[in-house]
Amino acid sequence: SELNQVVLNLLVNAADAIHENIEKGHIKKGVIIINTSREEYYAVITVSDNGGGIPENIRDKIFNPFFTTKEVGKGTGQGLALSFSIIHEKHGGTLSYETKMGEGTTFIIKLPFEDD
């Protein structure tokens, strides 16, 4: 259920980013792609969108508790901070991202396989 919460949060954020990009007239249709793969000792889940990307001046803050770019009443700033905690602290994995302004963002979840 915790992993579901993380993926749901990333989907909601992707949808919000796409909505913003559509409102600005940069794109006509949003795309969200979820991909799973295996990378050596890790299960990898990526969530990609064609939103506007994460501005450079906030990239170091996005995993901070209570940090949000959403207007008052629309976001609490807890989603990415909680997701980071779940992946890193509870599952020993990593949560990172790649972003390009005007093109979109991909969040990358890596979860280690348990030793048999």
Side-chain angles (χ1 to χ4, degrees):
S1 68
E2 291 172 332
L3 186 55
N4 288 341
Q5 183 178 3
V6 170
V7 173
L8 178 61
N9 177 63
L10 296 177
L11 290 171
V12 168
N13 286 352
D16 288 345
I18 288 169
H19 180 73
E20 255 182 54
N21 222 14
I22 289 172
E23 281 189 334
K24 291 177 182 177
H26 296 259
I27 58 173
K28 291 185 182 200
K29 185 176 178 181
V31 176
I32 297 173
I33 299 170
I34 301 171
N35 188 39
T36 60
S37 62
R38 180 184 182 131
E39 197 174 281
E40 293 188 25
Y41 304 106
Y42 294 91
V44 180
I45 303 166
T46 60
V47 179
S48 303
D49 66 63
N50 66 335
I54 301 170
E56 193 168 336
N57 64 325
I58 66 165
R59 291 178 188 173
D60 61 340
K61 301 174 189 168
I62 65 167
F63 294 117
N64 292 352
F66 305 109
F67 177 79
T68 184
T69 58
K70 297 175 185 173
E71 60 189 66
V72 175
K74 295 268 183 173
T76 63
Q78 290 297 297
L80 286 176
L82 184 59
S83 296
F84 187 88
S85 175
I86 289 170
I87 298 301
H88 280 262
E89 296 168 18
K90 293 187 177 185
H91 296 286
T94 61
L95 175 60
S96 59
Y97 65 91
E98 297 171 355
T99 191
K100 271 193 169 175
M101 290 306 298
E103 294 183 27
T105 301
T106 298
F107 278 89
I108 305 142
I109 300 166
K110 290 186 178 182
L111 298 169
F113 290 117
E114 289 183 354
D115 292 336
D116 292 329

